[in-house]
Amino acid sequence: MMRVAILDPNAPRPYTTDPASLIGLGGTEMTIADVAHGLARDVRLEIHQAARTASSCISGVWFTPYAWKAKVRAETIVVINSWKAAVACRKVNPDARMLLWLHNVPGRHNRRMGEALREADVTIVCVSASHARSLRAFLGRSAPKITHVYNPIPDDLRPLGLSHDPDLLFFASAPHKGLCEVFQNFRAVRDAFPTMTLAVADPAYMRWDCGPVPDGVRMVGRQDKARLWEVMERSLCLFCPQTTFAETFGIVLAEANAVGCPVLTHGGLGANDEVVSSRQQCIDCTDMDAMIATIGRWRESRPKVSGRSDFRLSSVLEDWRTLLQIDDKPSPRLHESSRRGSMPVYLGAAE
């Protein structure tokens, strides 16, 4: 059986595929767990984590301590976010297929990562087509091979048939993802519609000072997934009118649409336009009149939205199997790169 190793050199704490172990962690760790659990029947899969001191096996996935610059027994090695760890790993694993699974946006001080990864023959796996495009533009001619595979939402995530409250807005992200601006915009919405309320679910993995909580805002704290999706379905919309934080994917946007909840978000920012299922959900959030007018229309007639099949876990796993060269039959969304090597490169519809 093929061996695949996922190296997480920045894991904040040990986690597994058990949902209880992921409480308080972010979307990156949840995505790693979902993909690893789905691939475990096809490959011998190990996840090497910083902060882990003992090994264990859960649901067919092996979890083991991470060792910097260690030899790894695997045909394919997937490094999470750290390009320096990927380059170091390549030096002691010259024959492995090497991927850097990038969930974030590198800062300006990381421009040399492109040349270093190209020399090390490491392919970058982004989490959306827009993420991949922005990374190519950032790295320029020094860019290595770059592909993308979406983050997954559950195959069975569907509306429960709950009625929505036209006075309820919902924000379900960490506060550093624009909550200060969301508060400011909510004050304007509440001035126009005094009965509006805003529920804020904070996953609590990062502290962030957003100043005084406006009138009409209810801080509901961390919610489990089932409760989160229920509140989404009962809300008028997922309220994300912020212009400062660019999501590389934005899984809560995809989840909201999957349960029938529209998203009000800023067009042209990060992966917003790519992830939401209809363009009417992306507006110019610096135009206060347009935002208030949109809320007013949606209060009268809430848009009908649904989740995209590309984001379903089964579809995402199909793309990972092709990328890892597990399946003999390639995904129709993948093709062979014309650049060095035979690593498939994902060309989603938005490319």
Side-chain angles (χ1 to χ4, degrees):
M1 181 176 281
M2 177 188 292
R3 288 175 175 261
V4 174
I6 297 176
L7 311 187
D8 191 351
N10 297 309
R13 68 166 194 258
Y15 59 87
T16 68
T17 54
D18 179 0
S21 76
L22 296 164
I23 293 174
L25 296 178
T28 296
E29 292 80 19
M30 294 179 187
T31 294
I32 293 168
D34 286 342
V35 170
H37 183 265
L39 293 176
R41 71 175 186 271
D42 302 309
V43 298
R44 158 80 185 214
L45 202 147
E46 300 177 356
I47 300 181
H48 301 237
Q49 298 169 343
R52 177 173 287 278
T53 58
S55 298
S56 63
C57 182
I58 297 178
S59 301
V61 180
W62 290 87
F63 298 88
T64 189
Y66 173 80
W68 183 263
K69 298 183 181 180
K71 179 71 176 177
V72 179
R73 294 182 59 195
E75 286 83 4
T76 300
I77 300 173
V78 183
V79 181
I80 306 298
N81 286 336
S82 173
W83 66 269
K84 292 180 180 179
V87 171
C89 186
R90 164 59 80 203
K91 292 179 180 179
V92 292
N93 297 277
D95 300 322
R97 205 188 300 90
M98 294 285 298
L99 306 176
L100 173 64
W101 192 1
L102 197 63
H103 294 252
N104 55 24
V105 177
R108 294 183 180 278
H109 62 287
N110 288 309
R111 285 192 182 278
R112 65 178 294 268
M113 69 181 279
E115 183 177 355
L117 291 171
R118 187 172 61 180
E119 291 178 354
D121 194 19
V122 177
T123 294
I124 301 176
V125 183
C126 293
V127 295
S128 66
S130 53
H131 185 203
R133 281 196 301 271
S134 65
L135 187 64
R136 290 188 189 100
F138 173 74
L139 296 177
R141 292 186 177 183
S142 68
K145 291 173 287 187
I146 298 175
T147 182
H148 75 276
V149 178
Y150 290 124
N151 287 345
I153 62 174
D155 285 340
D156 60 354
L157 184 58
R158 299 286 190 279
L160 296 174
L162 306 175
S163 59
H164 76 276
D165 180 351
D167 281 336
L168 176 62
L169 305 174
F170 190 35
F171 180 87
S173 294
H176 72 286
K177 297 185 177 184
L179 182 58
C180 297
E181 189 175 358
V182 168
F183 278 170
Q184 178 182 341
N185 286 328
F186 175 71
R187 290 186 180 98
V189 169
R190 189 170 166 85
D191 285 343
F193 306 104
T195 56
M196 295 296 294
T197 60
L198 172 66
V200 175
D202 179 358
Y205 62 78
M206 182 176 289
R207 293 181 180 275
W208 202 264
D209 183 9
C210 290
V213 177
D215 291 342
V217 173
R218 182 164 51 96
M219 307 297 290
V220 299
R222 186 173 60 225
Q223 303 287 306
D224 64 35
K225 281 291 188 179
R227 175 59 179 162
L228 198 73
W229 297 330
E230 180 182 330
V231 179
M232 285 177 178
E233 189 171 352
R234 290 189 179 279
S235 302
L236 173 66
C237 69
L238 192 70
F239 189 66
C240 309
Q242 59 86 24
T243 61
T244 56
F245 187 89
E247 290 277 14
T248 53
F249 181 74
I251 200 160
V252 293
L253 280 63
E255 291 174 337
N257 277 187
V259 299
C261 176
V263 177
L264 192 150
T265 192
H266 187 61
L269 179 67
N272 289 351
D273 299 82
E274 182 180 357
V275 172
V276 296
S277 59
S278 62
R279 292 297 174 90
Q280 66 176 316
Q281 299 173 79
C282 293
I283 67 170
D284 179 359
C285 291
T286 65
D287 185 339
M288 199 66 65
D289 291 338
M291 182 176 62
I292 291 172
T294 299
I295 292 291
R297 287 194 304 272
W298 289 7
R299 281 165 60 86
E300 296 296 325
S301 179
R302 185 184 190 229
K304 296 185 182 301
V305 297
S306 59
R308 285 180 47 185
S309 60
D310 313 49
F311 306 152
R312 298 295 180 179
L313 179 59
S314 56
S315 180
V316 170
L317 290 175
E318 177 187 339
D319 289 342
W320 270 108
R321 291 186 186 104
T322 303
L323 188 61
L324 298 174
Q325 301 179 6
I326 298 170
D327 289 345
D328 293 331
K329 182 179 179 180
S331 164
R333 293 187 300 278
L334 292 153
H335 79 97
E336 293 297 312
S337 171
S338 60
R339 305 177 74 175
R340 179 180 55 181
S342 60
M343 180 64 64
V345 174
Y346 180 39
L347 292 183
E351 288 247 319

